[in-house]
Amino acid sequence: MRFPSTANSGEARVADPTKEEHWSVHVRDDASEFVRRLIDLSVEANLVPDRDFHYKWDEYADWQLDVLKQSGLQPKHRLLDVGCGPLRLGLKAIPYLEDGGYFGMDAYAPYIDLGAKLIVECGIEKRFTVLCSSTFEFERFGSLFDYAMAQSVFTHMSAGQIRECVRKLKPVMRPGATFLFTYFFTPHQRGIMYYGVQPMIAPRVLDTALFEEIARNESITFEASPLPHPAQRVGIFRF
C-alpha cells in the first residue's frame, strides 16, 4: 500500500479551535510514508501524535494479525476487534479475511472517524462493520465470532469493565472460539483522561487472579500465554 504524503516539511500543523494561531507538530525524520500520512490525518482530527500509537503502528498491527494466525485464524473466520481504534488491526485483517469477516467496536468516536479515512487511503474495498459503543454492545453486530482481539484495551479498563466485557462477549462467541488480549501487571489503579476528553481507568493488576476469576464465573478457560508481545503480556480466553 502506498500513501500520499503531505508532511514533507517535517511538521504537521493543526488549528487550535479557541485561537487563531496554529500548533506545529514535529514529524521524525525516520517516519515512514504511511506514518506521515497517519499523523496528518490524526492532527486534522485533533489527535496528538504519540510515540507508541503512531510510530509503532506497523509493529503492533503486524503483531496482532501474526498471533491471530498462529492461533488458527483463517480467512473464512469472523473476527471481532474489541477496542478497534482507528483500525490498526483492521487495515491488515480486512484484506486477509473474506468479505464482511471483520467487525470492530470502539468507545472513542474520533477513532472511528479516523479509521474510515484510513480505509479510503488504503483503497480497501471489502465490506466490514464498525460500531461506536462504550457498553460492549456486541449483540448489535448480529453475528457469532470465531476469534476476538483486545490489544492494549484491558489496560484502559477497570476490573469491573473487564468483567462486563467478557460477560457480554460470551454470548457472541462460537463454542471453541478464542479471545486474545494483552495486559500488564501494575500495583496501582489510576484514572486517565484520554486525549483530554475520554475518561478511562488503568486497572490494578498484580497477577492473573482477575482473569482466572472471570474464567470460573463465565465457565470458560483462561491461559497466560507465552506468546511474546512488544511491551505487554498476552492472555487467552477460550469459550
Side-chain angles (χ1 to χ4, degrees):
M1 300 176 185
R2 292 188 61 82
F3 302 83
S5 175
T6 60
N8 294 329
S9 65
E11 63 178 29
R13 301 183 68 83
V14 59
D16 181 340
T18 65
K19 302 177 181 178
E20 293 185 0
E21 65 184 8
H22 288 72
W23 298 339
S24 292
V25 178
H26 176 71
V27 179
R28 282 178 8 191
D29 292 338
D30 62 348
S32 68
E33 185 179 4
F34 169 74
V35 168
R36 288 177 179 273
R37 186 59 181 148
L38 173 63
I39 290 174
D40 282 347
L41 293 172
S42 298
V43 169
E44 289 172 10
N46 285 324
L47 299 173
V48 178
D50 175 85
R51 178 188 62 188
D52 291 334
F53 181 83
H54 289 83
Y55 292 105
K56 295 186 178 181
W57 178 280
D58 285 331
E59 178 183 2
Y60 284 95
D62 290 339
W63 179 86
Q64 290 181 81
L65 188 56
D66 286 347
V67 297
L68 282 165
K69 288 180 178 179
Q70 291 176 39
S71 301
L73 179 72
Q74 299 177 26
K76 66 181 181 180
H77 290 139
R78 293 207 157 196
L79 170 64
L80 174 56
D81 190 359
V82 180
C84 63
L87 304 183
R88 188 202 308 254
L89 171 58
L91 296 183
K92 303 280 186 177
I94 294 170
Y96 172 75
L97 296 169
E98 292 180 359
D99 189 54
Y102 174 88
F103 298 77
M105 180 172 286
D106 201 273
Y108 193 45
Y111 273 173
I112 302 293
D113 295 339
L114 177 57
K117 293 178 180 178
L118 290 172
I119 288 288
V120 174
E121 292 282 337
C122 293
I124 294 174
E125 297 182 350
K126 282 186 177 179
R127 291 177 301 156
F128 64 96
T129 305
V130 175
L131 296 175
C132 185
S133 173
S134 61
T135 56
F136 316 114
E137 300 170 286
F138 305 126
E139 73 283 355
R140 290 174 57 192
F141 290 117
S143 179
L144 295 178
F145 302 98
D146 304 286
Y147 287 85
M149 168 66 78
Q151 145 67 29
S152 196
V153 176
F154 284 0
T155 54
H156 296 78
M157 289 183 183
S158 67
Q161 287 173 317
I162 294 171
R163 293 186 183 97
E164 183 74 356
C165 176
V166 179
R167 185 182 70 81
K168 290 192 171 182
L169 190 62
K170 184 181 178 181
V172 301
M173 299 297 283
R174 295 185 189 278
T178 298
F179 175 34
L180 293 101
F181 62 94
T182 64
Y183 64 98
F184 50 70
F185 295 145
T186 177
H188 305 292
Q189 177 171 291
R190 59 189 176 89
I192 302 170
M193 189 60 71
Y194 200 62
Y195 279 109
V197 296
Q198 182 73 26
M200 294 182 177
I201 294 175
R204 179 177 183 263
V205 179
L206 298 176
D207 50 35
T208 60
L210 170 63
F211 309 123
E212 293 165 5
E213 170 210 311
I214 291 172
R216 288 193 301 272
N217 291 342
E218 300 299 334
S219 298
I220 58 179
T221 64
F222 164 74
E223 173 190 345
S225 173
L227 286 168
H229 183 275
Q232 301 180 26
R233 298 172 183 268
V234 180
I236 301 176
F237 284 122
R238 301 190 193 278
F239 294 81

